[in-house]
């Protein structure tokens, strides 16, 4: 009812969003929504406009997105997002807690719109063999708050580089509580006061999620300075890319 606004809908429940949005296109669904709007006291004109817009899915002023903080969540949620009718699709990799490869998800390359068949997930999600839906925007950010975990700069760089190669908009939102220091030899650090953290203590780098520490060129050191002081520069520049929607 407000085409002059753009609504960004972000969820962790991608399967529910897919089912709901596909259901909007089912014949008779507009009458159910009009009935709900009438019970809520919406004016008759608004209900008429709503009914007309539902027949023109996907809604041009609604962007749909999912959170994907690590590879497991990306594998689980993004394929459902790609199978959801949407004018624009985005991923919020915040807080980013591990390396995420968006071009090698189960059954698809989310950045280039490529599919490969033979997976049960294709049937479950309703993918067609000729589908070419892809992500339009990737938002990256570190964690904030009292129990925040640091974001390794290589994780952010990887997402940026993947987006650049595919021509997908990349937005670096924040480092969060922990600011990465320059790479260097790992000093003898003690953590009693919690002011410094060595990336070797991060679970993803230690290999608990399949990532070996040796894959990184060197230790990454972090200092807890707060999200305002940490800022959002990645390799010396801001990344403010946004999709054309």
């Amino acid at each position: 009812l407000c085409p002059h606004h753009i609504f960004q809908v972000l969820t962790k429940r991608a399967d529910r969003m897919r089912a709901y949005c596909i259901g909007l296109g089912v014949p008779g669904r507009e009458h159910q929504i009009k009935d709900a709007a009438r019970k809520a006291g919406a004016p008759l004109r608004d209900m008429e406009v709503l009914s007309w817009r539902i027949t023109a899915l996907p809604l041009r002023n609604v962007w749909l997105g999912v959170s994907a903080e690590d590879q497991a969540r990306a594998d689980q949620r993004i394929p459902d997002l790609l199978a959801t009718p949407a004018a624009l699709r985005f991923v919020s990799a915040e807080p980013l807690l591990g390396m995420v490869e968006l071009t090698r998800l189960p059954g698809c390359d989310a950045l280039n719109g490529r599919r490969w068949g033979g997976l049960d997930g294709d049937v479950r999600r309703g993918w067609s063999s000729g589908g070419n839906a892809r992500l339009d925007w990737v938002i990256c950010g570190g964690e904030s708050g009292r129990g925040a975990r640091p974001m390794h700069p290589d994780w952010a760089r990887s997402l940026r580089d993947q987006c650049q190669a595919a021509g997908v908009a990349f937005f670096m939102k924040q480092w969060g509580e922990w600011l990465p220091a320059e790479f260097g030899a790992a000093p003898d650090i003690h953590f009693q006061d919690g002011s410094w953290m060595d990336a070797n203590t991060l679970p993803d780098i230690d290999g608990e999620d399949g990532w070996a520490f040796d894959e990184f060129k060197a230790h990454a050191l972090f200092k807890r300075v707060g999200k305002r002081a940490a800022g959002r520069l990645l390799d010396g520049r801001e990344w403010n890319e946004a999709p054309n929607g």
Side-chain angles (χ1 to χ4, degrees):
L1 296 177
C2 302
H4 50 288
H5 293 303
I6 291 178
F7 296 86
Q8 298 175 355
V9 182
L10 179 66
T11 183
K12 294 180 179 179
R13 307 187 189 281
D15 54 340
R16 292 180 62 184
M17 182 168 68
R18 176 182 54 83
Y20 177 81
C21 290
I22 291 176
L24 288 176
V26 175
R29 178 64 171 166
E30 67 271 17
H31 301 297
Q32 299 176 22
I33 295 177
K34 285 177 65 177
D35 289 342
R38 184 180 298 109
K39 292 177 182 178
L44 178 61
R45 179 184 177 280
D46 287 353
M47 289 188 288
E48 292 174 348
V49 173
L50 180 63
S51 178
W52 174 80
R53 292 224 171 97
I54 289 175
T55 63
L57 293 173
L59 299 176
R60 304 306 302 173
N61 63 327
V62 179
W63 299 1
L64 302 183
V66 296
S67 299
E69 60 269 35
D70 55 27
Q71 190 68 55
R73 275 68 178 187
D75 290 348
Q76 175 187 8
R77 297 168 183 163
I78 295 177
D80 275 320
L81 173 63
L82 297 179
T84 302
L88 189 147
R89 300 174 182 86
F90 68 97
V91 164
S92 175
E94 184 187 21
L96 185 58
L97 303 178
M99 189 78 78
V100 175
E101 175 57 69
L102 295 173
T103 63
R104 300 178 183 177
L105 301 179
C108 70
D109 174 345
L111 294 179
N112 295 289
R114 290 192 290 264
R115 301 274 190 274
W116 37 92
L119 298 178
D120 292 338
D122 290 354
V123 176
R124 177 176 65 83
R125 295 185 172 97
W127 281 349
S128 63
S129 58
N132 60 351
R134 70 170 194 161
L135 297 178
D136 302 284
W137 196 20
V138 175
I139 302 168
C140 175
E143 195 169 28
S144 57
R146 184 175 181 180
R149 292 154 289 184
M151 175 176 66
H152 197 291
D154 281 357
W155 302 343
R157 288 188 182 109
S158 175
L159 282 180
R160 177 202 61 195
D161 294 346
Q162 292 175 54
C163 289
Q164 290 287 290
V168 173
F170 175 79
F171 185 86
M172 176 69 176
K173 184 176 178 182
Q174 65 173 19
W175 282 109
E177 292 291 318
W178 296 87
L179 178 65
E182 293 183 358
F183 284 117
D188 183 13
I189 298 176
H190 300 280
F191 304 107
Q192 287 90 336
D193 61 357
S195 60
W196 284 91
M197 180 174 287
D198 182 345
N200 197 32
T201 66
L202 296 177
D204 285 329
I205 300 177
D206 275 343
E208 294 180 12
D209 292 334
W211 295 98
F213 174 67
D214 289 339
E215 291 186 39
F216 296 91
K217 296 180 180 179
H219 287 262
L221 303 179
F222 302 85
K223 188 169 185 179
R224 188 164 201 151
V225 298
K227 66 178 183 180
R228 177 172 296 184
R232 60 190 191 92
L233 295 180
L234 177 58
D235 292 335
R237 61 160 284 188
E238 292 183 355
W239 293 86
N240 296 318
E241 297 175 352
N244 296 321

